[in-house]
Amino acid sequence: MSNWYSESSPLERRTFWASFGGWALDALDVQMFGLAIPALIAAFGISKADAGLLGSVTLFFGAFGGWLGGALGDRFGRVKALQITVATFALATFACAFAMTYTQLVILKAIQGLGFGAEWACGAVLMAEVIRAEHRGKALGSVQSAWAVGWGAAVLLSALVFTYAPADIAWRLLFALGLLPALLIVFIRRGLKEPPRATASEKTPFFATLSGIFHRDVLRSTLIGGLFGIGAHGGYAALTTFLPTYLREVRQLSVLGSSGYLAVIIVAFFCGCVASGIISDRIGRRANVAFFASACIVTVLVYIFAPLTNGEMLVLGFPLGFFSAGIPASMAALFSELYPAGVRGTGVGFCYNFGRIVSAAFPFLVGFLSDRIGLGPAIGIDAALAYSLVLVAVLMLPETRGKVFEQTAATRA
């Protein structure tokens, strides 16, 4: 990481930290939900399927948020759109702390989904356009590693509030802390410069920007990219939404005990994102994704179905987190290289987030199947099936490593 970072211009570095910070704080807000599921089940008297539906609603609306956010970036500029999306998911998470009914929580999680789906699309494309081509995979892989930072912060905050506050109050305190990302807006406003081509389609009707990714010139990329997104998000959602619950209820670990297991996975996720970016720039996007997807399938099945002791699960948590990181870490560079400037944000936002529409069913499916075959098998089967879709999709995509964007030099002031 240090080599590409030391070669970066001041603008490239500021853009990196804005994108990194936005994604980390996005993760902080989103991962709070998985950690609060046991408390939410008790507070609202709901089933695991109902809790899974909350996660599904967030993912479903995140899909539309990503598509709309990418189009907003193409139409009005990446920086302006990034500020709006960060404010949306931060305020929605904060409002979740005051939900009095299950229905209110569903609505607020939907709004949160719109914001966090849009934030990734805006930040990823902004970074992809500013960074030079030879470092795009490494830079965007490092941005994706910010998810582990936010995830880790959520675990630490969860362990803290659930240790020192009653469960019926702790989950509200946890969501209230979701307002913190709003502070990033100040940095975004002062430190970033709009890439010239981000406003190139300013006279294009907004609907035309949204529908531009279905033009025959890019339709194949859109369809295959959407399938890729289904597998990537489906596998991650199936694995992580109920993983804290699995560790506590099936493996009988305490909140602090399960936090240690999650910490191993989170550190590994960070390392996997950085490694995937490096490998992607060296061997190409397709080979990198195929390697990580295959490794994910094997590791998830062993983690869930093998008769492991708690100690062995702790050790295996590292490859589980490492390999599961490689796929999302490659998506921003790959998707951004599939589209021309006028619809790049829309295309990246759609491909990355369309998977959330279908993958939104995976948390609900895990919760539903867990009542019949057990929580562990439900997680393992769903995750392995989803990662298999990634393998199918990547074999149909072209190799795009090293693609130079329009007016790249103009953005590195």
Side-chain angles (χ1 to χ4, degrees):
M1 175 178 174
S2 59
N3 288 337
W4 75 261
Y5 187 80
S6 63
E7 295 174 7
S8 300
S9 69
L11 176 59
E12 288 175 317
R13 294 180 187 180
R14 289 195 301 271
T15 305
F16 169 76
W17 286 115
S19 301
F20 186 98
W23 194 228
L25 293 169
D26 199 333
L28 171 68
D29 283 9
V30 173
Q31 292 298 133
M32 286 177 178
F33 167 68
L35 296 162
I37 283 179
L40 294 174
I41 289 175
F44 293 101
I46 58 178
S47 66
K48 288 188 179 68
D50 292 329
L53 182 61
L54 285 169
S56 295
V57 165
T58 308
L59 294 174
F60 184 83
F61 280 87
F64 288 101
W67 188 14
L68 292 172
L72 286 172
D74 283 335
R75 180 70 172 77
F76 301 109
R78 319 296 188 207
V79 176
K80 184 182 295 184
L82 188 60
Q83 295 176 58
I84 295 171
T85 58
V86 169
T88 300
F89 77 74
L91 291 172
T93 305
F94 177 73
C96 285
F98 303 96
M100 301 305 296
T101 67
Y102 176 74
T103 301
Q104 290 175 4
L105 197 57
V106 169
I107 294 171
L108 291 171
K109 290 292 289 180
I111 297 172
Q112 183 197 49
L114 287 172
F116 96 83
E119 187 279 331
W120 185 91
C122 298
V125 176
L126 176 64
M127 188 70 224
E129 290 180 338
V130 169
I131 197 71
R132 58 201 74 187
E134 63 268 27
H135 296 321
R136 189 175 296 126
K138 293 184 284 291
L140 287 168
S142 297
V143 167
Q144 192 71 32
S145 72
W147 186 268
V149 176
W151 188 3
V155 171
L156 290 175
L157 288 174
S158 173
L160 182 64
V161 298
F162 277 100
T163 299
Y164 293 102
D168 58 336
I169 297 176
W171 70 267
R172 295 186 184 276
L173 293 175
L174 195 61
F175 283 131
L177 293 171
L179 190 62
L180 291 175
L183 299 176
L184 181 66
I185 296 174
V186 177
F187 176 79
I188 294 172
R189 182 183 295 273
R190 294 182 178 180
L192 301 189
K193 177 182 177 182
E194 194 68 53
R197 65 183 161 279
T199 56
S201 59
E202 194 165 327
K203 296 182 180 180
T204 304
F206 186 67
F207 180 78
T209 302
L210 277 174
S211 61
I213 57 173
F214 299 108
H215 188 274
R216 62 178 179 273
D217 292 341
V218 294
L219 179 59
R220 187 174 187 274
S221 295
T222 299
L223 295 177
I224 300 174
L227 178 63
F228 189 118
I230 292 171
H233 289 297
Y236 182 83
L239 179 63
T240 62
T241 300
F242 278 101
L243 187 58
T245 305
Y246 172 76
L247 292 173
R248 294 175 198 172
E249 295 188 359
V250 178
R251 305 299 300 198
Q252 299 297 309
L253 298 172
S254 65
V255 172
L256 288 175
S258 63
S259 296
Y261 284 73
L262 291 174
V264 172
I265 296 174
I266 292 167
V267 170
F269 190 92
F270 179 92
C271 297
C273 285
V274 176
S276 178
I278 295 171
I279 297 170
S280 178
D281 277 342
R282 290 194 176 182
I283 69 173
R285 314 304 189 212
R286 297 174 77 244
N288 178 66
V289 172
F291 165 71
F292 277 96
S294 301
C296 273
I297 295 171
V298 174
T299 309
V300 166
L301 292 177
V302 173
Y303 189 83
I304 296 296
F305 290 104
L308 304 174
T309 65
N310 285 348
E312 291 168 340
M313 284 194 70
L314 182 65
V315 173
L316 191 61
F318 191 89
L320 179 69
F322 184 89
F323 292 129
S324 66
I327 298 171
S330 64
M331 292 169 74
L334 174 59
F335 291 158
S336 65
E337 292 164 348
L338 292 175
Y339 291 94
V343 293
R344 181 170 296 127
T346 311
V348 171
F350 180 86
C351 289
Y352 187 87
N353 290 285
F354 172 75
R356 287 187 170 132
I357 294 179
V358 180
S359 70
F362 281 83
F364 176 77
L365 186 59
V366 170
F368 179 79
L369 289 177
S370 68
D371 293 331
R372 290 155 178 80
I373 63 175
L375 185 56
I379 292 173
I381 292 172
D382 281 14
L385 175 62
Y387 287 131
S388 296
L389 296 179
V390 175
L391 272 177
V392 173
V394 75
L395 294 177
M396 295 188 287
L397 288 174
E399 180 56 59
T400 57
R401 177 182 55 160
K403 181 177 180 179
V404 177
F405 290 159
E406 310 85 346
Q407 303 180 23
T408 298
T411 67
R412 295 199 302 268

